[in-house]
Structure formats: structure tokens, C-alpha cells
Amino acid sequence: LDAGDGTAMAAQAHSLKSASANLGLLDFSARARSLEMLGKAGTLETAGAELENLKAEYALGIAALHAASGLPA
């Protein structure tokens, strides 16, 4: 994002989207898809805010995976 490379951002977001969907983290996957679309469109002005949303969703997703694992904290 800092480099202003929408194509690279889209590719990385695509990988995150797919991997998180495979893990059942559908809200995270949706946020990653949004970043992917912004990158493909070259609309990087709003990507920073969406990246912050993705980070927040990441924390929720990790907590959900941990809870589902049954492992102690």
C-alpha cells in the first residue's frame, strides 16, 4: 500500500481472501476481497481505512479460531 502498487496489493489481498475463506473466516475474507477490488481498480485513497478494518477483523478471526481449537489461552 505504501508503495502505491495496486496490482501487488490486489494479489496479496487475493491470497488472504482465499486462505481465510478456506478457514471459514468469511468476514475477514470479505474485507480482503474489498482490498483486492480497490487494488484492481487502482483506488488506493480508501485502501488505508479498509486495511485498518481488515486488521480488526484479523484479531476477531484469530480469537474465533483459537476458541474453536479448544486449546487453553
Side-chain angles (χ1 to χ4, degrees):
L1 182 59
D2 289 338
D5 188 347
T7 301
M9 184 182 78
Q12 293 173 357
H14 177 80
S15 294
L16 288 172
K17 176 188 75 174
S18 300
S20 58
N22 286 335
L23 292 171
L25 302 175
L26 301 183
D27 291 337
F28 183 90
S29 181
R31 293 287 185 189
R33 181 182 186 283
S34 178
L35 271 178
E36 179 186 11
M37 294 299 105
L38 289 172
K40 284 183 177 181
T43 311
L44 303 182
E45 301 82 31
T46 58
E50 193 58 33
L51 180 58
E52 291 306 313
N53 292 333
L54 182 71
K55 288 178 183 179
E57 197 58 51
Y58 172 80
L60 294 172
I62 291 298
L65 287 173
H66 185 74
S69 75
L71 295 173

